[in-house]
């Protein structure tokens, strides 16, 4: 059985403010793919080790993201609430989309993300 599970992770390096806004502007444009990259790590070991390695490798990895929602978090103009999909590849090179939401600061390029993954029961 497959079910959705949410995990918390830390963004240690992300896109500039301009790249983030541009990615949102092209989110649904079929002719122009403008994705951004987030380097996400599992500092608190919230993810199952094997599952995290499939997503980002042992030490985390830059993950390409399609941004489908963005809003300002406060009046600074540099902090955002983001929604989107991360692309990653498993051992079979099959593409999976991982839904994520994040609090992100473009001034220091750090933030906190919640990943929503499809997980299969282990028997």
């Amino acid at each position: 059985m497959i079910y959705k599970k949410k995990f918390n992770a830390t963004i240690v390096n992300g896109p500039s403010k301009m790249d983030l806004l541009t990615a949102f502007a092209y989110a649904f444009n079929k002719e122009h793919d403008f994705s951004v990259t987030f380097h996400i790590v599992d500092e608190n070991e919230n993810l199952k080790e094997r599952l995290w390695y499939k997503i980002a490798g042992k030490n985390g990895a830059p993950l390409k993201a399609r941004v489908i929602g963005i809003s300002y978090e406060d009046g600074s103009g540099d902090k955002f609430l983001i929604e989107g999909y991360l692309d990653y590849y498993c051992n079979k090179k099959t593409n999976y989309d991982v839904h994520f939401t994040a609090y992100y600061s473009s001034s220091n390029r750090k933030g906190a993300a919640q990943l929503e993954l499809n997980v299969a029961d282990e028997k």
Side-chain angles (χ1 to χ4, degrees), residues 9 12 19 35 37 42 56 63 69 86 103 107-108 110:
V12 294
D19 284 346
S35 55
T37 302
D42 183 24
L63 300 171
L86 298 170
Y103 164 82
S107 59
N108 64 8
K110 297 184 184 309

Side-chain angles (χ1 to χ4, degrees), residues 17 21 70-81:
K17 179 179 179 179
L21 295 173
I70 189 169
S71 63
Y72 286 105
E73 196 276 330
D74 64 5
S76 71
D78 290 321
K79 295 179 180 143
F80 300 94
L81 300 174

Side-chain angles (χ1 to χ4, degrees), residues 74-114:
D74 64 5
S76 71
D78 290 321
K79 295 179 180 143
F80 300 94
L81 300 174
I82 302 168
E83 179 181 4
Y85 290 92
L86 298 170
D87 291 332
Y88 75 99
Y89 297 89
C90 71
N91 296 335
K92 295 179 182 178
K93 303 290 184 199
T94 303
N95 182 275
Y96 292 88
D97 287 328
V98 177
H99 182 258
F100 81 100
T101 55
Y103 164 82
Y104 180 70
S105 173
S106 62
S107 59
N108 64 8
R109 297 188 178 198
K110 297 184 184 309
Q114 185 176 68

Side-chain angles (χ1 to χ4, degrees), residues 7-73:
F7 301 98
N8 296 318
T10 303
I11 300 169
V12 294
N13 190 15
S16 68
K17 179 179 179 179
M18 184 56 68
D19 284 346
L20 187 64
L21 295 173
T22 303
F24 177 63
Y26 286 100
F28 299 102
N29 188 321
K30 303 277 186 209
E31 296 176 17
H32 298 87
D33 177 30
F34 192 95
S35 55
V36 290
T37 302
F38 289 94
H39 189 106
I40 299 177
V41 297
D42 183 24
E43 290 181 339
N44 298 322
E45 298 180 7
N46 294 313
L47 299 173
K48 291 181 179 178
E49 186 174 298
R50 188 183 56 139
L51 183 59
W52 182 245
Y53 289 173
K54 283 184 179 180
I55 298 170
K58 184 176 181 179
N59 298 315
L63 300 171
K64 195 163 99 171
R66 182 168 46 104
V67 177
I68 63 165
I70 189 169
S71 63
Y72 286 105
E73 196 276 330

